[in-house]
Amino acid sequence: MSERQEIRRTGLGVSPGIAFGRAYLIGRDTLKAPRHHIEQDDIDTEVARLYKAIAASDKQLAKIKEKLASENESDYHIITAHQMMLHDEHLVGAAVEYIRDEKINSEWALRRAVDDIRGVFDSIEDQYLRERRSDVEFVFERVLRNLLGRDTGPLQPPPDAIVVAYDLSPADTATLHKAAVSGLLTDAGGKTSHTAIIARAHEIPAVVALENITELVETDDLLLLDGASGIVIVNPSATTVASYREEQRRQVAAGVHLASMRDLPARTLDTHDVALLANIDGPDELDDAVEYGAMGVGLFRTEYLFMTGTELPDEERHYKTAVAVLEKLKGKPATIRTFDLGSDKLAKFLKDAELDEANPALGLRSIRLCLSEIGRELFRQQLRGLLRASAHGPLKIMFPMISGVAELRVVKTVVEDVKAELDAEGIAYDKDVKLGIMIEMPSAALTADLLAQEADFFSIGTNDLIQYTMAVDRVNEYVSYLYEPLHPSLIRLIGGVVSAAREHNIPCTVCGEMAGEPMIAPVLIGLGVRELSMSAVSIPEVKATVRQMHSDEAEKLVARVKNLPTASDVRAVVTDYVFGLMAPKP
Ligand code: PEP
Ligand code: MG
């Protein structure tokens, strides 16, 4: 073991797991854009140089994508987004204008165009957007390398290395997972940075936002990282390594145990069944979801069909995609949500619409967009596709962000119109297709008894319900301490929705992130929820909790926490309860 002093740092753990390995340091890039003026006669050559570098960058990114195993991996989409950025008028058009108007070289012009865009990001002060700022930088960096004829090849760390960098571009991260690195550490980054998203998708333990880890570590230093707690230990002592190895063995054993549960029912000890369903973004995720034990799809977020590729999805694409989901599920049910775009989920057609909204999260998003001039036709196409697919298996259609009964009625009128069209054309669909709504706004939660009389089912979208109840942007780090699923207000709202659904005899699922948290699921079950839809990887762990609990005890737990004044009071009681479930029984 190393003689050097053990150093501990805590960052943001963004992808769980324990990793040991030697550091592979990627120095902070100091590539500078050279600056000089050009002659009038050289303008066209300079513009051509820029376009050539952009084309080369595009080709390199396409090549990286080719090497990725599946079109459905998150890195695939992120790299596609970078390719789109390469051709974005705000970047390229602005740079060309600088070359022409100010007679400056491509590198300088591009730097200025990027700085203008950065300025816009800086003034927004939103974590998610701030992290997107780094995407512009990554794209700039690549074009600059091509302009200067510098190496753009993939990073090649030795296998099992822990990569330490200031920040990593999605393209770098995507090539790194193929190189079988054992962990990632970065100075910069946040929970929604792409390093984090890709690391989680490929199950590489990662800690970000370490500020100066690149200064503390040298290549070949021995490193230990715990991606769950965010702890990083440089030059760990033999005792430290031994204790983390023990923890690692425990985690691996728990993983094996969870995998062995795939075919067991999610049944409480007092024999109440809970349906554990998967949230998916596309049919390609279904093989894994079934492998994790999903009993169906509780939420298919179809907006990804609009955010990838160059063409907007038409009726046929919606139809084929939905049929593909049903086929893969072999008779298990699928709830498909109509597109929920706007706010942080932007598609090109929306960008082109150039909506000037001060508060997009409170603006023309989701179902409002579908009912507006901009989205109406796309919505009808999707409804036609989904209705046609309903003839092929148990498909339910769900509408996001419904504010109340009036809006639900408008949506149902559109569905009726589309059904009449299909009838007139003699096209088959399930005449009894269920139409449900997401409950994700306080206005809907508080009128759940009225909505339950006109909707076939509910699905509580707690991600947005928390955002709109607590008035806290779900991706804003400054107020993230308020983003608290166990806040008493949420427990009351969810409880009210579940009761209304029960009274009116309609099913009620919870499909926000909190459904997949084993430390929270007992509260939902105690409130009467019997369907939980979550990211498929969470299913085994939630199932393990369900199988250890009694639903009547969970009801008593809810009765105890219902009147507690703060979220931390609630959390303390719930944590005690869940730990009690895990304790070995005498
Ligand atoms: C939610 O809001 O809880 C939800 C499931 O929808 P999304 O995360 O796609 O907004
Ligand atoms: Mg939502």
Side-chain angles (χ1 to χ4, degrees), residues 337 340 365 438 440 464 474:
R337 179 175 76 182
D340 181 21
R365 60 168 294 205
M438 304 247 336
E440 47 187 347
D464 277 312
R474 59 197 255 192

Side-chain angles (χ1 to χ4, degrees), residues 402 404-415 450-451 454:
I402 294 290
V405 171
E407 204 163 31
L408 173 58
R409 287 184 183 161
V410 176
V411 171
K412 285 172 79 173
T413 314
V414 181
V415 177
L450 305 172
L451 284 162
E454 307 196 22

Side-chain angles (χ1 to χ4, degrees), residues 187-230:
D187 288 342
K191 261 217 153 71
T192 61
S193 68
H194 291 136
T195 314
I197 294 170
I198 294 174
R200 273 197 296 275
H202 298 292
E203 297 175 15
I204 306 173
V207 181
V208 303
L210 283 153
E211 291 175 4
N212 65 347
I213 195 73
T214 47
E215 287 161 29
L216 283 176
V217 169
E218 287 167 31
T219 288
D220 283 340
D221 274 351
L222 193 62
L223 293 178
L224 192 163
L225 75 92
D226 180 350
S229 62

Side-chain angles (χ1 to χ4, degrees), residues 48-62:
R49 246 186 97 226
L50 177 64
Y51 277 115
K52 199 170 153 206
I54 287 170
S57 306
D58 200 0
K59 238 184 184 162
Q60 287 151 5
L61 291 175

Side-chain angles (χ1 to χ4, degrees), residues 299 301 303 337 340 345 365 438 440 460-465 474 511-513:
L299 168 65
R301 292 180 162 102
E303 42 281 8
R337 179 175 76 182
D340 181 21
K345 286 184 239 166
R365 60 168 294 205
M438 304 247 336
E440 47 187 347
I460 308 180
T462 49
N463 303 339
D464 277 312
L465 188 59
R474 59 197 255 192
C511 67
E513 289 305 301

Side-chain angles (χ1 to χ4, degrees), residues 102-366:
E102 308 207 5
K103 300 200 188 68
I104 58 177
N105 64 328
S106 297
E107 293 88 340
W108 191 2
L110 193 63
R111 176 75 264 171
R112 288 186 55 182
V114 169
D115 285 347
D116 293 344
I117 294 174
R118 279 180 64 112
V120 176
F121 281 120
D122 285 346
S123 63
I124 295 174
E125 284 210 358
D126 168 293
Q127 184 202 3
Y128 186 81
L129 288 179
R130 227 188 5 265
E131 285 168 9
R132 300 294 72 80
R133 184 179 59 186
S134 59
D135 290 283
V136 188
E137 280 298 334
F138 291 136
V139 168
F140 166 69
E141 181 81 30
R142 182 168 292 276
V143 182
L144 187 58
R145 283 187 172 278
N146 279 305
L147 278 168
L148 297 172
R150 297 286 186 90
D151 180 28
T152 52
L155 300 168
Q156 286 174 320
D160 297 328
I162 292 184
V163 171
V164 182
Y166 172 75
D167 201 358
L168 288 167
S169 76
D172 285 342
T173 316
T175 45
L176 284 176
H177 91 260
K178 298 288 167 197
V181 299
S182 58
L184 302 175
L185 300 178
T186 61
D187 288 342
K191 261 217 153 71
T192 61
S193 68
H194 291 136
T195 314
I197 294 170
I198 294 174
R200 273 197 296 275
H202 298 292
E203 297 175 15
I204 306 173
V207 181
V208 303
L210 283 153
E211 291 175 4
N212 65 347
I213 195 73
T214 47
E215 287 161 29
L216 283 176
V217 169
E218 287 167 31
T219 288
D220 283 340
D221 274 351
L222 193 62
L223 293 178
L224 192 163
L225 75 92
D226 180 350
S229 62
I231 292 174
V232 175
I233 305 170
V234 188
N235 304 310
S237 71
T239 333
T240 306
V241 171
S243 73
Y244 273 89
R245 280 224 187 274
E246 190 46 46
E247 173 60 18
Q248 195 180 34
R249 269 193 287 277
R250 205 192 55 72
Q251 288 182 7
V252 171
V256 172
H257 166 65
L258 293 176
S260 70
M261 289 204 323
R262 195 192 58 198
D263 301 320
L264 298 176
R267 184 169 294 155
T268 61
L269 293 172
D270 52 345
T271 64
H272 284 274
D273 282 330
V274 181
L276 302 183
L277 308 161
N279 291 352
I280 59 161
D281 290 325
D284 299 25
E285 290 174 27
L286 276 171
D287 291 340
D288 278 353
V290 170
E291 198 56 30
Y292 282 116
M295 295 158 69
V297 166
L299 168 65
F300 175 13
R301 292 180 162 102
T302 57
E303 42 281 8
Y304 286 90
L305 294 171
F306 294 77
M307 294 166 82
T308 54
T310 45
E311 305 270 301
L312 280 171
D314 56 6
E315 172 184 337
E316 205 52 27
R317 177 121 187 261
H318 288 298
Y319 168 73
K320 284 193 175 137
T321 311
V323 170
V325 169
L326 292 171
E327 278 172 358
K328 287 209 173 225
L329 282 173
K330 299 194 181 83
K332 294 187 178 112
T335 300
I336 305 196
R337 179 175 76 182
T338 56
F339 66 88
D340 181 21
L341 290 166
S343 191
D344 60 335
K345 286 184 239 166
L346 281 179
K348 189 173 175 305
F349 81 92
L350 254 179
K351 284 187 205 143
D352 292 346
E354 291 187 356
L355 296 173
D356 187 15
E357 295 185 295
N359 289 308
L362 304 180
L364 191 62
R365 60 168 294 205
S366 200

Side-chain angles (χ1 to χ4, degrees), residues 364-440:
L364 191 62
R365 60 168 294 205
S366 200
I367 199 70
R368 305 159 184 197
L369 178 68
C370 296
L371 298 175
S372 77
E373 195 73 34
I374 306 172
R376 194 175 303 152
E377 187 46 36
L378 294 166
F379 185 49
R380 286 178 79 90
Q381 296 265 330
Q382 180 168 37
L383 286 175
R384 279 184 64 100
L386 295 182
L387 282 168
R388 280 172 55 202
S390 71
H392 296 261
L395 179 153
K396 300 185 206 174
I397 302 177
M398 177 159 77
F399 303 103
M401 289 241 352
I402 294 290
S403 58
V405 171
E407 204 163 31
L408 173 58
R409 287 184 183 161
V410 176
V411 171
K412 285 172 79 173
T413 314
V414 181
V415 177
E416 285 312 313
D417 278 359
V418 174
K419 279 186 178 175
E421 249 173 47
L422 295 176
D423 286 335
E425 294 166 37
I427 297 176
Y429 62 91
D430 173 8
K431 301 268 185 234
D432 192 34
V433 65
K434 301 290 177 231
L435 304 178
I437 58 172
M438 304 247 336
I439 303 281
E440 47 187 347

